[in-house]
Amino acid sequence: MTSTAEWKELESKYYMFLVRRQPMVLERGEGARVWDVEGKEYLDFTSGWAVNNAGHSNPVIAEAIAEQAKTLVQTSNQFYTIPQLKLAEILVENSCLDKIFICNSGAEANEGAIKLAKKYGKKHKDGAYHIITALNSFHGRTMMNVSATGQPHYQELFQPIPTGFSHVPYDDLDAVKEATTDNTVAVMIEPVQGEGGVNIPSVEYLKGVRDWCDQNGMLLIFDEVQTGLGRLGTLFGYQSFGVEPDIITLAKGLGGGVPIGAFLAKDSACAFDPGDHGSTFGGNPLTCAAAHASTKYIIDNEIPENAAKMGEYLGERLRKIQSDNEFITDVRGMGLIWAVEFDSDITPDVIAASNEAGLLMNPMRPNAIRLMPVLTITKEEIDEALSRLETGLANASK
Ligand SMILES: *Cc1c(COP(=O)(O)O)cnc(C)c1O
């Protein structure tokens, strides 16, 4: 059997060095748990980076993938295929949006939404193309999304980058108003900022941006790549705030783990004409069968409701842990995405000690960790995870 050390050696020999990985080689997952090649079990509070919303190796999704793999994996988009249409139907029927385009990742979904907004500007707003996004946002790694993302350190290396974006403070309506010109066609924001630090805006802000877009003939784009499919405690993040966007983008939680993305738009925003956009793999039968099974599972089993309930419990328990540990300066979150912030840069120690205790988490900042379990998580699993976290916190060298 190949050992952890041998797999690590292969990685450093063959894989581009772009990520400092945590030390375990994961082999298998089930529900809220994963196992490494040594057989050690972990509660996974990263869930594939907010992806495995319906749990690891969900049997319903596994069955759908296996069936589709034996039936039809890929065709060109010259033809109609059934899983694509079933996925389109379930997402449109359960959202405020009217039409969908399916692609392969979050970055690609945002890329498509940005192109749609620019086409809309050409068609309906005198060629306006400028898009306002937020500081601390994260929209993906393609060049256009590097420009859209309001974090300079993602941009510096890759200059010159596409123009046409301005970045304003998040949760600040006046900043959006001040940045608006006749050339502004859209505002693109996350309903809750994920990578930016689990930042939860006020309802008034999102409502205010909605009204401002209406008053100025601009589109409101919600990047729901991380918040979509139940993460915030509602099927889509916008429902948690009662604010309907013109366009949303989805990816992470959409496919039950397979790579898939999508953007959906209201009819009024559907400015594309045939040939304006496309994808070879986008809407592929295999990924769509997985995404349809996952989405149907999430809806039929009221997984967003579980995320809301369990999120409240997780938040309560984390606040209790905060009150027992003076070095925890903040606990914030919503649904099943939570951040815990420290008064110093102890994240590496907390993560290492928690890993040892059997809990996987996201090292979000040198002084903050992020917890985003599968949305099927139970109260007992949260209790178990938090007792492992407490062990991790106690054992981290401070
Ligand atoms: C992860 C993420 C993206 C990028 O998605 P990829 O699938 O990695 O391209 C875009 N927007 C948000 C809000 C994300 O969390």
Side-chain angles (χ1 to χ4, degrees), residues 16-43:
M16 285 190 196
F17 183 42
L18 283 163
V19 53
R20 274 174 227 286
R21 298 183 201 258
Q22 289 171 35
M24 61 292 288
V25 180
L26 298 183
E27 190 173 48
R28 170 171 83 81
E30 194 184 319
R33 293 170 203 268
V34 292
W35 286 262
D36 69 17
V37 289
E38 319 276 336
K40 184 173 164 65
E41 170 265 334
Y42 306 88
L43 279 156

Side-chain angles (χ1 to χ4, degrees), residues 282-320:
N284 160 300
L286 186 69
T287 54
C288 287
H292 177 262
S294 176
T295 303
K296 189 169 182 319
Y297 182 91
I298 286 171
I299 293 170
D300 290 352
N301 293 283
E302 301 185 348
I303 301 301
E305 288 78 357
N306 187 62
K309 230 185 298 158
M310 291 302 117
E312 219 162 282
Y313 181 66
L314 177 59
E316 247 170 59
R317 290 286 323 269
L318 287 172
R319 289 198 184 95
K320 171 79 175 63

Side-chain angles (χ1 to χ4, degrees), residues 105-108 110 138-141 190 195 223 225-226 251-252:
S105 69
E108 231 185 282
N110 287 335
F138 183 80
H139 298 297
R141 304 288 195 156
E190 298 151 83
E195 309 308 307
D223 177 345
V225 169
Q226 190 151 162
K252 291 191 166 84

Side-chain angles (χ1 to χ4, degrees), residues 359-386:
L359 175 64
L360 304 183
M361 295 176 299
N362 170 234
M364 185 170 72
R365 295 277 182 283
N367 70 333
I369 55 172
R370 184 166 42 159
L371 292 80
M372 36 189 183
V374 300
L375 307 187
T376 51
I377 193 125
T378 63
K379 196 162 168 280
E380 292 68 34
E381 287 164 337
I382 289 177
D383 287 340
E384 203 178 345
L386 292 184

